[in-house]
Every structure is written in structure tokens, then in C-alpha cells.
């Protein structure tokens, strides 16, 4: 049974490898340290579990009755441990849950620790050796410690619970609860309600098969986009106007970002702005393509809002030259985030107008750019945190 925590799906080797590889992939220095710390501790837990298993398996080396209980361990393994689970299945990297998306990986880790905690509980239940129980109690407790650390790291990202990835879900589809499996009599078990399908923004929709079986008309139609526009041509003109405004904004930004890259003192901040410059150039291409889809000339409309923001940015760059590097970069990040938020508002408005007109290709182009702006804003937050800590440190006195 102990082998389940040695070479099993929820065992210590799987945890050690999962957290360590996540750590190697992590761009966030602070949370990388967390993942590597816990990954290393899990290796020590592997040693504890292996030692416990080895002690309990010792009779298999010499006693036939003990050996007969598990010939795989006794004969093939010489009464020792190997990377197998309790059923003799070999350990596999398929056990690892690694996405390269920090918040998603942290959620996987919390679930992994919860599963391991339950396995340790069951091992304690079937154990009658006091010393082994003490060791298992220690290991079980550390699973909760790790859950707390991973949960705190997830909370510290300050992301909304369902803000997973970059592309936003479709409205109103994301709030529709499909009542697919329940009904009365021959149509299923009892129908229930709870916070998972009522209150807030939830909309409960019966499955089409249920509607047909009950002789219902197609009310409650499932729709993922907006309803028909009352004046499509007016909305189309608004959309074109908004996209031309964005096009001018992005073209201005392509010229301004190299100055911000040069002004950044932090190598990480400079690299982030440089990466966003490449994204901005692609956003210009997308807006041009979107206007062509609308059969409108790809002509930019002067964006006074971006002009003002970039003028402020020039002042920040000029003033930051005489500041401490951390203070100067924080001011630069503040100016950059004003720009990101302005663009996010513009792309969100344009996307919503395109949804209203039921133009999925245009929606997709705008959504991609919106996601990039949101991601850039989050990355700027990550770069700002250690700079804030540095700015708070008192100057060294000789």
C-alpha cells in the first residue's frame, strides 16, 4: 500500500517532478522559488516513504509466506521498492500536470496535495504500527502546509477566479447552465437548484432534447452572441470609427514604445515592452484586416486620447532620468498601464459592437488584441512588485 505514495499517480515522486518542472518553466522569480522549495521537499518525502516501505517489505527477502503475498516485489524486486504503484503499474510522466500557465498549475497543485492527503489518511487507517503512523501523520500534515502555500501564491496573483488564460469567454454563453440530465419520471432523477445554477447572472436552459420530449417550443434558445441589432448600419459605422481610432492609437504606440524600451532601467521591463512592441505591430495588422472585412478603407482617425497619454509618457521618461532606477521604472510602468487600460477599453467596445453585428471573424481579431493588452497589463504588475519592494528599502548607511 505504501508503494502508492512512492510510484503512484498522487505519490511523492509525481509531486516532486510536477512542482520542480513547473518551477523550471516559471518566469515569476518569487513563485519559482516556492515551486522549487516544495518540489525539493517532496523528494525528501519520497525518501521517507521508500524507507518505510523497505522496512515493511523486509520479511519478503527471507520468508516464503511473506514473499507469496506479492511475488513481483519479492522475486523481481528482491523485497525492495521500485517506481511502481500498489498494483505493480510503472510510474509514468503522464501523472504530471504541467501547463506553463502559473495560475492553472497552482490550482492543479492544490488538488494534487488534497488527493495525497486523502491517500495518507487511508494508509493511516490500515496501519497498526505506531512508528509508521507517526511518519504518515507527519507526511499527511505537510500536504496541508503545501496546500496553504499554493493557495496563498494563487491569491497573491490577484487575478479573478475565472480569469484563466488570455481569451475572454463568450457572453451570454458563459452564464448559461444547461439542465441536461434531470427531469421527472422516465426523464431522469429529481431536478435541483443551488448556487451552481441560480442567483447572480445564471440563466438555466433546458436541453433541446427535453424541450422536444415535453412538447415545448424553442424558447430559451441558446445563443452565444448578442441579439439582432436594431440599426445595423449605425452600429457598423460606430465600429468602423472605433477601429480607425484604435488604428491611429496603435500606430502612435509603435513609434513611442522604442523610447520606453530605451528609458527602462530594469532588463526585465525593457524585454517586456520590447515584446509588446511586436504585439502592437501585429495589432496594427489585425485592425487593417478587420477594416477590410468591413469593406472600409484602412484609414486611421486621429486618436486624441492616445496623443495625450503619450505626451504624459514623454514627461515621465524625461523626469525619470534623475530618479532612482526603481522609482523611475515604477513611473514608467504607471504610464504604460494607463495606455494599456485605454486600449483595453477601446478593444472591448469594438469587440462588443462586432458581436452585436454577428461578425465572428472581426470579433476574433479584436479579442486577440484585447487579450494581449490584458496580458501586458498583468505582466507589468508582476514586474512592478519587486520594484515596489526595492523602492521601500531604506538607503544603506555606511
Amino acid at each position: 500500500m505504501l508503494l502508492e505514495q512512492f510510484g503512484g499517480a498522487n505519490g511523492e515522486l509525481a509531486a516532486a517532478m510536477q512542482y520542480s518542472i513547473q518551477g523550471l518553466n516559471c518566469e515569476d522569480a518569487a513563485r519559482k522559488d516556492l515551486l522549487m522549495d516544495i518540489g525539493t521537499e517532496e523528494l525528501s518525502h519520497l525518501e521517507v516513504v521508500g524507507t518505510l516501505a523497505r522496512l515493511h517489505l523486509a520479511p519478503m527477502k527471507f520468508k516464503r509466506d511473506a514473499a507469496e503475498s506479492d511475488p513481483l516485489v519479492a522475486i523481481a524486486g528482491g523485497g525492495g521498492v521500485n517506481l511502481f504503484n500498489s498494483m505493480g503499474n510503472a510510474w509514468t510522466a503522464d501523472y504530471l500536470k504541467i501547463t506553463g500557465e502559473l495560475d492553472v498549475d497552482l490550482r492543479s497543485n492544490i488538488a494534487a496535495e488534497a488527493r495525497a492527503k486523502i491517500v495518507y489518511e487511508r494508509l493511516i487507517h490500515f496501519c497498526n504500527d505506531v512508528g509508521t503512523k507517526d511518519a504518515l501523520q507527519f507526511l499527511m500534515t505537510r500536504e496541508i502546509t503545501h496546500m496553504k502555500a499554493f493557495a496563498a501564491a494563487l491569491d497573491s496573483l490577484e487575478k479573478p477566479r475565472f480569469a484563466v488564460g488570455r481569451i475572454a469567454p463568450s457572453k451570454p454563453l458563459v452564464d448559461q447552465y444547461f439542465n441536461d440530465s434531470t427531469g421527472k419520471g422516465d426523464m431522469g432523477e429529481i431536478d435541483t437548484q443551488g448556487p451552481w445554477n441560480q442567483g447572480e447572472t445564471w440563466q438555466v436552459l433546458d436541453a433541446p432534447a427535453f424541450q422536444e420530449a415535453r412538447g415545448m417550443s424553442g424558447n430559451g434558445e441558446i445563443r452565444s452572441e448578442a441579439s439582432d441589432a436594431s440599426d445595423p448600419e449605425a452600429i457598423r459605422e460606430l465600429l468602423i470609427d472605433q477601429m480607425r481610432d484604435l488604428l491611429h492609437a496603435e500606430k502612435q504606440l509603435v513609434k513611442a514604445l522604442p523610447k520606453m524600451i530605451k528609458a527602462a532601467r530594469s532588463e526585465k521591463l525593457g524585454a517586456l515592452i520590447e515584446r509588446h512592441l511586436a504585439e502592437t505591430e501585429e495589432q496594427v495588422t489585425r485592425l487593417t484586416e478587420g477594416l477590410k472585412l468591413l469593406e472600409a478603407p484602412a484609414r486611421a482617425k486621429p486618436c486624441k486620447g492616445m496623443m495625450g497619454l503619450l505626451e504624459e509618457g514623454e514627461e515621465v521618461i524625461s523626469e525619470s532620468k534623475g530618479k532612482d532606477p526603481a522609482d523611475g521604472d515604477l513611473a514608467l510602468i504607471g504610464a504604460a498601464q494607463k495606455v494599456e487600460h485605454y486600449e483595453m477599453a477601446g478593444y472591448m467596445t469594438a469587440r462588443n459592437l462586432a458581436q452585436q453585428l454577428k461578425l465572428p471573424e472581426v470579433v476574433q481579431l479584436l479579442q486577440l488584441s484585447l487579450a494581449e493588452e490584458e496580458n501586458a497589463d498583468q505582466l507589468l504588475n508582476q514586474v512592478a512588485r519587486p520594484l515596489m519592494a526595492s523602492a521601500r528599502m531604506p538607503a544603506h548607511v555606511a
Side-chain angles (χ1 to χ4, degrees), residues 371-382:
E372 287 172 350
E373 305 298 357
E374 291 172 339
N375 186 58
D377 182 52
Q378 290 178 13
L379 291 174
L380 286 167
N381 277 333
Q382 288 184 15

Side-chain angles (χ1 to χ4, degrees), residues 15-17 19-20 33-46 146:
M17 292 297 97
Y19 308 156
S20 298
D33 182 56
L34 162 73
L35 292 164
M36 299 305 284
D37 281 345
I38 297 181
T40 303
E41 183 181 348
E42 298 290 7
L43 283 173
S44 73
H45 291 179
L46 181 71
H146 297 167

Side-chain angles (χ1 to χ4, degrees), residues 223 225-232 235 355-358:
R223 305 184 64 140
E225 305 295 346
S227 57
D228 294 336
S230 57
D231 189 348
I235 292 176
Q355 283 180 337
Q356 190 74 22
L357 292 170
K358 300 182 180 178

Side-chain angles (χ1 to χ4, degrees), residues 173-359:
L173 183 64
V174 68
D175 295 319
Q176 291 174 344
Y177 181 91
F178 293 174
N179 191 29
D180 286 345
S181 64
T182 55
K184 296 179 180 178
D186 294 338
M187 299 186 68
E189 300 300 328
I190 61 168
D191 208 359
T192 62
Q193 289 186 325
W196 54 88
N197 64 3
Q198 67 177 357
E200 297 185 356
T201 58
W202 283 118
Q203 177 189 8
V204 179
L205 297 174
D206 274 333
F210 280 8
Q211 293 177 5
E212 183 179 346
R214 293 170 182 164
M216 294 171 61
S217 61
N219 58 357
E221 178 185 0
I222 297 169
R223 305 184 64 140
S224 62
E225 305 295 346
S227 57
D228 294 336
S230 57
D231 189 348
E233 189 55 35
I235 292 176
R236 179 179 174 278
E237 290 302 317
L238 282 172
L239 174 58
I240 291 170
D241 187 72
Q242 184 70 26
M243 290 176 67
R244 284 176 172 165
D245 187 84
L246 283 165
L247 181 59
H248 189 256
E250 297 294 17
K251 285 183 174 181
Q252 289 184 81
L253 202 53
V254 167
K255 296 177 182 178
L257 285 176
K259 298 177 186 177
M260 297 181 74
I261 295 169
K262 189 175 179 181
R265 318 280 188 86
S266 159
E267 184 178 340
K268 193 169 184 180
L269 177 58
L272 170 56
I273 299 173
E274 188 170 2
R275 169 183 162 184
H276 193 52
L277 171 58
E279 290 177 337
T280 303
E281 291 169 342
E282 181 61 27
Q283 289 163 7
V284 169
T285 302
R286 286 192 201 117
L287 286 164
T288 302
E289 184 181 344
L291 286 166
K292 287 180 180 177
L293 288 170
L294 290 165
E295 299 180 350
R299 184 175 63 248
K301 170 191 171 185
C303 179
K304 296 179 182 178
M306 183 60 77
M307 289 178 188
L309 288 171
L310 292 180
E311 186 178 340
E312 282 189 20
E314 292 275 4
E315 292 177 6
V316 168
I317 290 172
S318 177
E319 293 170 0
S320 68
K321 292 176 182 176
K323 292 183 177 179
D324 176 83
D327 293 340
D329 277 353
L330 283 171
L332 195 61
I333 289 171
Q337 287 191 295
K338 283 184 180 180
V339 169
E340 295 306 325
H341 290 193
Y342 181 84
E343 291 183 299
M344 284 157 59
Y347 277 114
M348 195 175 298
T349 298
R351 182 205 60 191
N352 292 344
L353 291 169
Q355 283 180 337
Q356 190 74 22
L357 292 170
K358 300 182 180 178
L359 299 171

